[in-house]
């Protein structure tokens, strides 16, 4: 009980000061975490971590990626240690942890040792959540300049990717991809329906500009921001929109990099012949390479930078530090 208004004001004043002190401490901790590169002890340094988003049902796609642009075995380890380029398939676990689906991935990982396993329940409608957890997990494991997310039905040229990212290395907060601004789809039942369409203004409006979801890169500071704020970043239904929303209010440089979204042959083939090898190629109509498990080999044959390119032309020590 308060005997008079004066005592009450004193107590309220003290509570307010305590609250301000806690807020100030939180901000200090956050800024220290940002400066130190996150809340975790990193296991090893890298230039770029390339996380290939995959699902339990995508074994054929993974094998087709292994047969084309992703090195295997000792070459994968060598790429990491000598070139600073880490490549992993990214997957969570099934709702029934330890079930047949998880055991299948256990066996595949024992054979290839090329997975990054997440504390996340797999499911198409959980992609926004998976993306957040991927960045946080990759950041904890590797202290890299850049973190890339790519789908398992996209063809990538690792040298071109690393070289393109290196051009933006001096920028502290950078978000790189094919920037787009598609329509907000309010109609139920359509692909890419936006349940929260009312947040984006009048019907028929477009989203803010964001990188298309097939492949994009963010710098270390942005991965750190996502990791620190994991619990309060809003998950929009569409993963590419969700990532764009997390970054739109920050002091971030958006880089519209069209070589991240070349079309499959003849487009990427003509560009390669003209000396402009693409970072990535896919079919817009399929949001990836159509029938990629069969066709990625043909795309690789026509649009690859060459299997020796990254070994002969990428010097990690020049961009490390």
């Amino acid at each position: 009980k308060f005997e008079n208004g004066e005592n009450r004001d004193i107590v309220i004043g003290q509570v307010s000061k305590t609250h301000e002190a806690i807020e100030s401490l939180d901000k200090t901790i956050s800024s220290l975490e940002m400066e130190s590169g996150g809340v975790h002890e990193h296991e090893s340094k890298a230039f770029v971590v390339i996380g290939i988003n995959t699902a339990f049902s995508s074994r054929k796609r993974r094998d087709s990626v292994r047969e084309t642009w992703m090195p295997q075995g000792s070459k994968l380890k060598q790429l990491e240690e000598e070139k600073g380029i880490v490549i992993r398939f990214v997957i969570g676990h099934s709702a029934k942890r330890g079930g047949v689906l998880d055991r299948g991935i256990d066996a595949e990982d024992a054979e290839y040792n090329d997975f990054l396993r997440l504390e996340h329940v797999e499911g198409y409608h959980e992609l926004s959540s998976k993306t957040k957890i991927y960045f946080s997990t990759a950041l904890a494991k590797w202290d890299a300049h850049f973190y890339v997310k790519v789908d398992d039905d996209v063809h990538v040229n690792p040298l071109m990717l690393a070289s393109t990212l290196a051009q933006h290395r001096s920028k502290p907060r950078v978000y790189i991809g094919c920037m787009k601004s598609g329509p907000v789809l309010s109609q139920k039942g359509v692909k890419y329906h936006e349940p929260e369409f009312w947040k984006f203004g009048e019907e028929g409006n477009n989203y803010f500009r964001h990188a298309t979801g097939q492949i994009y890169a963010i710098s270390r500071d942005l991965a750190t921001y996502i990791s620190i704020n994991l619990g309060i970043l809003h998950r929009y239904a569409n993963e590419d929109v969700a990532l764009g929303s997390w970054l739109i209010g920050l002091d971030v440089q958006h880089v519209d990099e069209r070589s991240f979204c070349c079309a499959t042959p003849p487009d990427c083939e003509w560009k390669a012949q003209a000396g402009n090898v693409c970072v990535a190629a896919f079919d817009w109509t399929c949001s990836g390479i159509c029938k990629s498990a069969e066709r990625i080999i043909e795309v690789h044959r026509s649009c690859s930078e060459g299997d020796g390119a990254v070994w002969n032309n990428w010097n990690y020590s020049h961009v490390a530090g």
Side-chain angles (χ1 to χ4, degrees), residues 19-250:
H19 183 65
E20 281 168 19
I22 290 167
E23 276 193 329
S24 170
L25 184 61
D26 278 348
K27 281 175 186 163
T28 306
I29 291 166
S30 282
S31 67
L32 284 170
E33 284 170 348
M34 287 291 274
E35 284 166 24
S36 66
V39 289
H40 310 283
E41 283 294 317
H42 303 286
E43 286 183 15
S44 51
K45 281 194 174 295
F47 177 69
V48 59
V49 176
I50 304 168
I52 308 169
N53 181 43
T54 194
F56 290 116
S57 58
S58 298
R59 175 66 196 254
K60 283 183 177 172
R61 283 187 183 180
R62 287 193 292 277
D63 284 343
S64 71
V65 168
R66 290 180 182 117
E67 284 167 34
T68 54
W69 65 268
M70 180 184 188
Q72 293 179 52
S74 61
K75 282 277 192 203
L76 189 67
K77 196 163 177 54
Q78 198 182 345
L79 189 68
E80 205 168 306
E81 291 171 356
E82 293 179 17
K83 302 294 182 180
I85 299 172
V86 176
I87 310 176
R88 293 287 188 280
F89 288 109
V90 178
I91 199 161
H93 56 82
S94 63
K96 187 176 181 242
R97 195 193 276 270
V100 65
L101 294 173
D102 295 315
R103 291 201 302 275
I105 298 294
D106 290 341
E108 196 178 331
D109 197 19
E111 184 179 352
Y112 293 102
N113 197 26
D114 58 4
F115 281 90
L116 176 63
R117 312 286 285 271
L118 306 181
E119 275 300 319
H120 164 78
V121 179
E122 280 295 316
Y124 179 76
H125 296 295
E126 295 298 329
L127 275 182
S128 297
S129 207
K130 184 175 181 179
T131 300
K132 288 196 293 191
I133 294 164
Y134 157 60
F135 285 129
S136 181
T137 307
L139 180 77
K141 200 165 172 56
W142 295 283
D143 178 17
H145 289 287
F146 292 98
Y147 298 85
V148 170
K149 177 256 161 179
V150 60
D151 289 336
D152 61 5
D153 53 358
V154 171
H155 181 270
V156 177
N157 282 315
L159 170 66
M160 289 311 301
L161 175 58
S163 307
T164 304
L165 296 177
Q167 294 166 23
H168 303 286
R169 205 186 133 254
S170 59
K171 298 162 188 165
R173 290 169 304 280
V174 65
Y175 170 38
I176 306 166
C178 285
M179 297 294 164
K180 65 173 189 180
S181 176
V184 178
L185 301 174
S186 58
Q187 193 184 336
K188 270 191 176 175
V190 298
K191 197 179 182 186
Y192 308 125
H193 166 62
E194 176 54 76
E196 298 177 84
F197 59 88
W198 68 274
K199 284 187 180 177
F200 298 94
E202 300 311 310
E203 205 166 320
N205 274 3
N206 280 14
Y207 287 111
F208 40 79
R209 211 161 280 282
H210 60 279
T212 189
Q214 288 84 353
I215 177 171
Y216 50 73
I218 60 173
S219 57
R220 184 202 288 121
D221 279 6
L222 297 181
T224 302
Y225 171 82
I226 290 168
S227 182
I228 291 168
N229 295 291
L230 209 56
I232 58 166
L233 291 173
H234 186 64
R235 299 194 313 258
Y236 283 100
N238 298 306
E239 164 243 355
D240 53 351
V241 170
L243 178 71
S245 76
W246 304 335
L247 305 181
I248 195 78
L250 305 183

